[in-house]
């Protein structure tokens, strides 16, 4: 037990560190994939505005954007809580949450439903959209900085991308629960293997410790017997190690004492 407890603590710490690292790596991959989806989505919106000759602020464009947001969430290519579009000053133009069931509700109603669902958290998303609206990709940073917060009672990672021409921003909410579930699922085989190694190591250490303690106890009993004058039982070294060398030294001492006693 004294061996098992430290090993279990060490294994738990290792798994916790691995879990955190894998979660960050997996989140990073999803953020980059989502940013790419946002970029492609933005190009589609730009084509829509170019073909119709209408700005993003027009009701027709917003209705089309709303339908595309619903399709983006329903597609499930990335684990989204919600998808939204803001203009450059942070005003919500279209939004859809995964908890919404109806696909026939008009844009203004879905927008208001989203605002009610998010409550005060909608201001956080709006502020994030204004910040992302100023983002310009560089060689060092090809995606905007993601923001992980608890929104509408769900742990969510915000990621987004500016629409072409700086007319607005696509803001998407990634499910942290999905990320945790995928990370735990990927770590399950590692956790089982680690536990098995810990148990086997603990059993091996316990067997080794018991064998060592047994040898020490037997040698201690012989030393006690010698101190009581029992010199007729030779001591045999049972292994070529430090304890075996000690047994040989005790045997030489026993033999010397036996010789001395025989001469007296």
């Amino acid at each position: 037990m004294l061996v098992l407890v430290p090993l279990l603590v060490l294994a738990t710490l290792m798994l916790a560190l691995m879990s955190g690292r894998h979660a960050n790596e997996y989140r990073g991959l999803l953020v980059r994939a989502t940013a790419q989806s946002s970029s492609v989505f933005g190009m589609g919106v730009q084509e829509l505005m170019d073909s119709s000759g209408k700005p993003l602020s027009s009701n027709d464009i917003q209705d089309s954007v709303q339908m595309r947001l619903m399709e983006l969430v329903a597609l499930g290519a990335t684990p989204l809580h919600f998808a939204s579009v803001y203009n450059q000053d942070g005003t919500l133009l279209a939004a859809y949450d995964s908890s919404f069931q109806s696909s026939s509700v008009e844009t203004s109603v879905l927008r208001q439903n989203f605002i009610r669902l998010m409550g005060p958290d909608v201001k956080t998303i709006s502020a994030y959209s204004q910040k992302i609206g100023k983002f310009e990709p560089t060689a060092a940073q090809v995606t905007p900085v993601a923001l992980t917060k608890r929104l509408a009672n769900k742990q969510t990672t915000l990621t987004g991308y500016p629409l072409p021409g700086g007319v607005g921003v696509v803001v998407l909410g990634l499910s942290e629960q999905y990320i945790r579930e995928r990370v735990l699922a990927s770590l399950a085989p590692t956790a089982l293997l680690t536990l098995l190694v810990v148990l086997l190591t603990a059993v091996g250490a316990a067997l080794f410790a018991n064998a060592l303690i047994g040898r020490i106890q037997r040698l201690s009993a012989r030393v006690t017997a010698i101190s009581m004058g029992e010199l007729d039982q030779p001591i045999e070294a049972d292994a070529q190690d430090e304890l075996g060398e000690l047994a040989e030294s005790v045997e030489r001492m026993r033999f010397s004492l036996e010789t001395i006693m025989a001469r007296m």
Side-chain angles (χ1 to χ4, degrees), residues 96-138:
Y96 189 77
D97 187 88
S98 59
S99 64
F100 297 164
Q101 299 299 321
S102 175
S103 61
S104 59
V105 180
E106 62 185 52
T107 301
S108 60
V109 175
L110 285 172
R111 190 165 53 231
Q112 291 304 314
N113 287 344
F114 183 76
I115 292 173
R116 281 195 295 271
L117 175 67
M118 291 297 166
D121 295 330
V122 75
K123 296 180 181 179
T124 300
I125 308 173
S126 176
Y128 178 79
S129 73
Q130 293 180 67
K131 180 179 179 180
I132 297 303
K134 302 173 184 177
F135 173 77
E136 294 182 3
T138 63

Side-chain angles (χ1 to χ4, degrees), residues 70-86:
M70 294 164 64
E71 292 171 356
L72 184 62
V73 174
L75 183 62
T78 51
L80 298 178
H81 279 322
F82 67 83
S84 57
V85 172
Y86 289 79

